[in-house]
Amino acid sequence: MSKTKFTTTVVHADRKLNPDSGAVHYPVVNSVLFGYDNPQDLVDIFQGKLAGHAYARQSTPTTDALQSMINGMEDGVGSLVFASGMAAITTTFLTLLNAGDHIVASQFLFGNTPSVFGTLKRFGVEVTQVDVTDIEQVKRAIQANTKMVFTETIANPVTQVADLQGIGHLCKQHNLVYIVDNTMTPSYLFKAKNVGASLITTSLTKYVGGHGTVTAGAVIDTGNYDWTQYANILDSFKTLPSQAQALTQIKKKGLRDLGGCLSSDSAQMIAVGAETMALRIDRACANAQALAEFLESHDKIAKVYYPGLKNHPQHQQAKTYFKQFGAIVSFDPVENIDPVALLTELNVVITATHLGDNRTLALPVAQTIYFEMGLENRQKAGINENMIRMSVGIEDIDDLTADFTQALANV
Ligand SMILES: *Cc1c(COP(=O)(O)O)cnc(C)c1O
């Protein structure tokens, strides 16, 4: 059979792993422990000579099935799943960095990631955050002790698009590990592997799960990086093939020791969500484009931030990278409109944090997710005090535009 396309592959992924029972969904295996008739099998599993499960903090058949699905979606050489996106990100950093190392990171990141940088600094890892839309800034930030570059694809809430290809070339030139958090533009929209990413980190809680019922995260090795060249691979993993070294180290020193493991129940929920990811994303992106254009033409809206708009500073790059422009639309109402008052008038749109849900969600940025940051830092980040961030869902577009039409008429 020839290689099937995205959704065909995803919806048939589970049953292909489980030909014995014929289950179409990979079963939820809620066992923490795994027993073996032949004790040598358990010995061999512990010693890495045999594939299998020992204890649910490292893997279960159900988390393995999800890993296989996620890996296939990203065209990787292996993946690991975690209890949340943050568990995936933090575990990856803590496992692959040593005191004295330096990383270059985007200055436009999901808020908890810079908070992790604060923790890394306490353990002797230096972090320089730069404007990743400007490759010169990334280049200038590289030092002798730089080990990796970390960026997201489309930033939240201002929707800056990183110079993903430029950073890929730079990392290749300097032999740096390139980590892309592709939560905003999952595999169906964007293949980070194709711009040279070494590892992909992602929150499966968002578009992949999609239904707001479960948290999960993943790390995927794209196979682009030769880990035999990486200084921080521990001796015990150096004997493995290059493509297995980093993920095994993240699994054995990170997932196993830090314990941010995904439950089998949660893994199956994510896998069920993943089946419709492409359909949901197609719809959400089409809605986002329509709403962005609607808001842009409205006289009570001062500014709209969406990479699908022609006046977006990285519209051209976004067009080359992504199949569509994502479903985050931010906007500033005109100055005399209070964002909280506007949100109060909306009936379909839910005021909530979170993104990548089936439902359209919105929140006043400066008053909530970036409140702790303070006015000065908000201004530096390009966040206006009346900005609203919206994660566009899959509702019928006429209902969304009608909701905004009436809400804007009432403020
Ligand atoms: C939500 C998010 C995360 C964290 O994921 P959780 O599953 O909530 O831990 C990381 N990166 C980005 C870009 C996100 O939007």
Side-chain angles (χ1 to χ4, degrees):
M1 203 166 109
S2 63
K3 198 172 181 313
T4 51
K5 291 193 172 166
F6 190 87
T7 293
T8 312
T9 308
V10 173
V11 298
H12 290 278
D14 269 14
R15 87 183 160 83
K16 293 205 167 153
L17 294 174
N18 193 42
D20 291 346
S21 72
V24 167
H25 287 285
Y26 200 91
V28 177
V29 179
N30 276 329
S31 186
V32 169
L33 65 160
F34 297 85
Y36 293 88
D37 290 340
N38 178 0
Q40 188 61 41
D41 285 350
L42 185 64
V43 170
D44 288 346
I45 287 166
F46 263 82
Q47 295 182 8
K49 294 174 187 157
L50 184 69
H53 306 282
Y55 191 67
R57 180 152 35 74
Q58 286 193 74
S59 68
T60 72
T62 318
T63 60
D64 266 13
L66 178 62
Q67 280 169 187
S68 161
M69 182 189 270
I70 300 294
N71 185 49
M73 286 159 74
E74 293 288 1
D75 199 15
V77 295
S79 91
L80 275 176
V81 292
F82 295 83
S84 70
M86 284 319 301
I89 290 171
T90 306
T91 303
T92 300
F93 285 144
L94 289 177
T95 311
L96 296 181
L97 293 166
N98 290 343
D101 288 342
H102 172 252
I103 70 178
V104 179
S106 168
Q107 71 186 42
F108 316 118
L109 289 175
F110 174 70
N112 289 130
T113 306
S115 173
V116 174
F117 293 158
T119 303
L120 290 178
K121 283 173 198 168
R122 286 176 36 229
F123 290 91
V125 175
E126 263 186 285
V127 184
T128 307
Q129 289 187 259
V130 298
D131 179 346
V132 285
T133 66
D134 177 1
I135 195 69
E136 292 306 319
Q137 286 198 31
V138 182
K139 210 180 275 178
R140 277 200 300 276
I142 294 173
Q143 308 174 174
N145 59 342
T146 303
K147 287 288 188 302
M148 52 177 68
V149 178
F150 179 90
T151 187
E152 292 174 14
T153 56
I154 301 178
N156 161 27
V158 186
T159 74
Q160 298 96 336
V161 177
D163 185 348
L164 294 159
Q165 185 68 68
I167 298 172
H169 290 317
L170 201 61
C171 286
K172 178 111 192 132
Q173 231 170 20
H174 294 262
N175 203 23
L176 300 174
V177 171
Y178 181 17
I179 305 185
V180 175
D181 177 337
N182 80 342
T183 302
M184 290 298 179
T185 53
S187 49
Y188 172 67
L189 290 182
F190 171 62
K191 284 275 185 310
K193 180 179 180 169
N194 296 345
V195 296
S198 322
L199 296 174
I200 299 165
T201 60
T202 195
S203 169
L204 303 172
T205 315
K206 311 290 172 53
Y207 294 99
V208 182
H211 297 72
T213 52
V214 57
T215 64
V219 176
I220 301 100
D221 189 329
T222 62
N224 281 334
Y225 191 81
D226 177 6
W227 293 100
T228 62
Q229 305 289 306
Y230 192 65
N232 298 346
I233 297 295
L234 298 168
D235 284 344
S236 43
F237 307 119
K238 279 184 181 157
T239 52
L240 296 169
S242 160
Q243 297 192 331
Q245 292 184 6
L247 272 193
T248 307
Q249 183 159 317
I250 295 170
K251 180 173 179 179
K252 303 264 182 186
K253 300 306 293 178
L255 182 61
R256 193 179 62 181
D257 292 1
L258 297 171
C261 56
L262 187 66
S263 75
S264 293
D265 282 314
S266 299
Q268 199 200 45
M269 275 201 256
I270 296 288
V272 170
E275 293 184 2
T276 54
M277 180 176 85
L279 284 73
R280 290 183 281 104
I281 285 186
D282 274 340
R283 171 82 160 221
C285 290
N287 282 353
Q289 182 75 38
L291 269 185
E293 288 171 13
F294 170 86
L295 292 168
E296 193 181 38
S297 67
H298 200 287
D299 57 10
K300 287 188 180 170
I301 301 296
K303 183 158 184 183
V304 181
Y305 308 80
Y306 185 63
L309 295 176
K310 288 198 180 63
N311 61 7
H312 186 282
Q314 291 94 36
H315 175 66
Q316 286 308 326
Q317 291 101 307
K319 231 160 116 171
T320 64
Y321 294 142
F322 313 125
K323 194 180 190 115
Q324 289 155 82
F325 300 99
I328 299 295
V329 178
S330 295
F331 57 94
D332 303 331
V334 292
E335 240 167 56
N336 58 348
I337 292 181
D338 172 13
V340 175
L342 175 56
L343 290 172
T344 307
E345 294 295 331
L346 289 163
N347 300 319
V348 175
V349 176
I350 304 172
T351 303
T353 188
H354 185 44
L355 56 90
D357 199 81
N358 282 337
R359 287 146 285 258
T360 299
L361 315 174
L363 50 70
V365 175
Q367 293 76 9
T368 58
I369 51 174
Y370 289 105
F371 179 71
E372 280 180 25
M373 182 191 244
L375 177 65
E376 198 181 318
N377 285 329
R378 280 196 294 275
Q379 283 173 341
K380 268 194 225 154
I383 297 165
N384 288 325
E385 292 304 288
N386 65 347
M387 176 183 274
I388 290 175
R389 182 197 79 191
M390 181 163 60
S391 168
V392 180
I394 63 169
E395 296 94 336
D396 299 282
I397 185 63
D398 291 349
D399 293 324
L400 292 174
T401 46
D403 200 25
F404 274 101
T405 301
Q406 64 81 27
L408 284 162
N410 289 338
V411 288

